[in-house]
Amino acid sequence: MLSADTQPTTTPLGDAARLIDGGDMDCGSGLLLLITRAMRRLQAGELLAIRSAEGSVVTDLPVWAELVGHEVADHLAESETGPWWFTVRKDGAELAKPDAGTVFSIGDRTPVGHRLWAYTNFDCNLACLYCCAESSPKAAPRRLDPEVVGPLFAEFRAQGGKELLLTGGEPFMHPQLGELVDAAAGLERTILTNAMIFHRGRRRELLESIDRDVVMQVSLDSATPEIHDKMRGAGSWARALDGIGLAHSLGFRVKIAATRMDEDPEGVRELHERLDVEGIAQEDRVIRPVAAEGFADGGIHVSIDSLEPEPVITADGAWWHPVAVTNPHLRIADAPLDLEEIFGVVRDTLQVQDAASASGREVFRCA
């Protein structure tokens, strides 16, 4: 299966400017992202060839073409059970593009273009059982280069971006974290950390040098060590609390993010009581479920239908959401450097979803 569009010489339906091989993906699991990106790279009148082994695409693709205004020029089936081939001719009209400095939003969504996530690196001092990024001490670092992403952060600001969240892995294991933070000056910056390794030495110096308008978001899953240490490793709860106290003492605003496998009301209540003791404001707390991604054995299934988009860049490309960076079906781009394409694919995808919803039609189903 091809994970991106290619330029073939010919297909069973004749020549086309680009080819998408979606394998058995339906559009809820990523085919829509591949098609949308490929269409943005075509000129009006050019043909996109699409191959799919997923039966729902036979119904969904013509609906998508109608909603967007493209034309299904031809199609064929290799057998009664597929795979199926389509060629779609790009219409001359473009979906609406925002002016520079504006953002795109529908309803209560975080406006596309307002927030950007960045995986600074993928190595980590922990190997949490549910880590969506498959980070661990053995993971390849795959670090963002400040010289590469510095101009991208500047472009994000120039386009009206407001908020940058630096996550990992453990960001404090990146030897150039300070440069990444400085490159994002002028944005609302948050570092997601387990707060365990910045107590001394070079990392303590780095922590003390960081601007105090940078927020530290610390992972703390439970009010007592049992649950947290079971998921993250023995002793991690106590060290996280020490890190929270240190960050507070240095004048940082500290937020807490808890990831829980269950919705035990008593455990949640106890966690809130603990955070009261630690001086964490109510608005600085988030309790989130486990996503069935990465190392997780269970959790909530995610797709573009169930995840509000929060575009994220890594050293390897760009994805729909930070919990899905190990999922090739939710990849937006092969490189993290083209913000116009990254945000454009998201906007175009949302417009198709909303047009389908407004028309009362089911399009791009996700099982």
Side-chain angles (χ1 to χ4, degrees), residues 121 123-126 169-174 177 193-207 239-240 242-243 246:
N121 56 295
D123 50 334
C124 186
N125 56 303
L126 298 178
E170 170 50 52
F172 278 89
M173 291 182 70
H174 194 312
L177 176 61
T193 175
N194 57 45
M196 293 175 60
I197 63 171
F198 54 42
H199 293 74
R200 58 185 60 85
R202 176 181 58 81
R203 290 170 180 148
R204 172 64 178 265
E205 294 174 1
L206 170 60
L207 178 66
R239 292 178 66 188
D242 287 344
L246 174 59

Side-chain angles (χ1 to χ4, degrees), residues 87-327:
T87 51
V88 181
R89 180 172 288 106
K90 181 173 180 176
D91 181 70
E94 293 286 347
L95 292 175
K97 294 182 179 178
D99 296 329
T102 64
V103 293
F104 176 89
S105 180
I106 294 178
D108 296 328
R109 293 177 182 147
T110 298
V112 177
H114 178 103
R115 176 183 297 161
L116 179 67
W117 288 76
Y119 271 82
T120 60
N121 56 295
F122 284 85
D123 50 334
C124 186
N125 56 303
L126 298 178
C128 301
L129 297 182
Y130 52 69
C131 181
C132 63
E134 298 182 350
S135 294
S136 75
K138 297 180 180 180
R142 293 158 56 201
R143 296 171 181 145
L144 284 181
D145 183 342
E147 293 188 3
V148 172
V149 298
L152 181 141
F153 292 162
E155 180 185 355
F156 179 53
R157 283 194 303 270
Q159 291 182 0
K162 301 297 183 184
E163 185 179 2
L164 178 71
L165 296 100
L166 300 168
T167 188
E170 170 50 52
F172 278 89
M173 291 182 70
H174 194 312
Q176 296 174 290
L177 176 61
E179 295 175 42
L180 291 171
V181 172
D182 291 344
L187 298 168
E188 299 171 18
R189 296 164 292 176
T190 299
I191 300 175
L192 283 73
T193 175
N194 57 45
M196 293 175 60
I197 63 171
F198 54 42
H199 293 74
R200 58 185 60 85
R202 176 181 58 81
R203 290 170 180 148
R204 172 64 178 265
E205 294 174 1
L206 170 60
L207 178 66
E208 293 183 353
S209 72
I210 292 174
D211 295 339
R212 294 308 188 267
D213 63 350
V214 176
V215 176
M216 298 292 162
Q217 180 169 305
V218 180
S219 302
L220 191 73
D221 292 344
S222 56
T224 56
E226 288 74 20
I227 294 176
H228 183 99
D229 284 6
K230 178 181 179 181
M231 306 306 295
R232 294 177 176 268
S236 60
W237 183 87
R239 292 178 66 188
L241 279 185
D242 287 344
I244 291 169
L246 174 59
H248 263 155
S249 72
L250 292 175
F252 289 100
R253 179 182 177 184
V254 177
K255 295 183 178 182
I256 298 296
T259 304
R260 297 183 63 88
M261 293 291 293
D262 58 61
E263 298 180 359
D264 173 29
E266 185 64 17
V268 171
R269 181 188 63 78
E270 291 173 352
L271 177 58
H272 279 298
E273 291 176 351
R274 181 77 207 196
L275 296 180
D276 289 339
V277 172
E278 298 299 325
I280 306 298
Q282 286 284 341
E283 63 269 21
D284 289 339
R285 309 174 186 181
V286 59
I287 298 177
R288 59 201 179 193
V290 172
E293 296 289 330
F295 289 153
D297 289 331
I300 295 176
H301 171 73
V302 298
S303 72
I304 62 172
D305 292 331
S306 61
L307 283 175
E308 290 290 344
E310 298 212 27
V312 54
I313 62 168
T314 77
D316 309 311
W319 274 258
W320 182 263
H321 195 281
V323 304
V325 293
T326 61
N327 187 337

